[in-house]
Amino acid sequence: MSPLAFAARHGRWSLVAGLAAGLALPGVAQTMRPWLPELVSALLFVAALRIGPRATLGSFKAVGHTLRTVIGYQLVAPLLALGVLTAMGMASTPWGMALVLVLAAPSVTGSANFTILMGQDPSVAMRIMLVGTALFPLTALAVLTLSPIVESPVQALLGTVRLIGVVFGAVGTAFALRWFLWRDMSETGRTALDGGSAILLAVVVIGLMSAAGPALLASPLHFASWLAFAFVINFGLQLLAHRFVPVEDETRDRTGTSIIAGNRNIALFLVALPPEVMDRVLLFIGCYQFPMYLTPILLGKALRPRDPVGAKNLKP
């Protein structure tokens, strides 16, 4: 278990290693890209196995708050952004498309893993991710129907059925394993799974960086502009959520709810939308991995739960 324990102790820096490898080894990134669905499924399986069904499903008394959070993140926010962009005449630009698609996307499957790396309770992140992914076809359908991004959103979103099957298949298998075979997980087991999660996160990001390395070499200024845009959107959303989004329990829920606000699985639209649409934002997807995977390092302190004595404990 020592290699996994080492990876668990230094999990945040393994993410940096993955980003560096994605940029420096574009050939490897291109080779790994077709395996991303399987890698993401494995990552989700490990996170669900680490958390377990009791921690996740046992808190479903807060399902109302979870639904309100998902609707606010995936429906209200992108529709507001779409209205502003349409008024400015920017809804059809690659920048406007990227912003709307980010806001319409559900949580990344690694959000619970990020929360674990930051030393916080991952159960709320897992709940929001599961509910958000389940509702994704409906919320995205509403956003895309009102946007100029595609002409036939119903046909485009049929591809999300496979995605939902993969997500809930991985989680269901992990929960069954915990329930029937591994109910009492030791600290050694949790450490091993944390290390495996950190390694998987580093591997996944290499495949997601397949468009970033070539763009950096071909046009550094163009790459830098998209990278700056990605950081502003990602970190800005997380900090705004940390300050303003209400939570049920300040200590348990604040970090996970904030992480999900900015770390969205825009790559899901690669399945749902035609290639000619997604080609316009492929570079943004690659750049978006930088703030996403640097969140545990750069925002580790900023996203900690607020002191319930010195700060107002917001509740819906």
Side-chain angles (χ1 to χ4, degrees), residues 149-191:
I149 295 176
V150 292
E151 295 181 359
S152 178
V154 176
Q155 183 179 7
L157 288 173
L158 290 177
T160 60
V161 174
R162 177 179 178 273
L163 170 74
I164 293 173
V166 169
V167 169
F168 284 89
V171 173
T173 302
F175 281 178
L177 182 59
R178 278 294 303 271
W179 186 261
F180 292 108
L181 299 178
W182 202 3
R183 287 200 178 190
D184 299 317
M185 181 178 292
S186 66
E187 187 62 33
T188 300
R190 281 190 289 270
T191 300

Side-chain angles (χ1 to χ4, degrees), residues 292-315:
M292 188 182 301
Y293 277 73
L294 291 176
T295 288
I297 296 174
L298 300 182
L299 296 185
K301 294 182 179 179
L303 299 185
R304 286 177 180 172
R306 299 200 295 263
D307 184 356
V309 176
K312 183 179 180 181
N313 186 12
L314 297 174
K315 291 186 179 181

Side-chain angles (χ1 to χ4, degrees), residues 2 55 75 91 196 292 302 305:
S2 56
L75 186 61
M292 188 182 301

Side-chain angles (χ1 to χ4, degrees), residues 202-225:
V203 171
V204 167
V205 75
I206 296 175
L208 290 173
M209 296 285 290
S210 57
L216 175 61
L217 295 176
S219 180
L221 289 179
H222 184 61
F223 173 85
S225 64

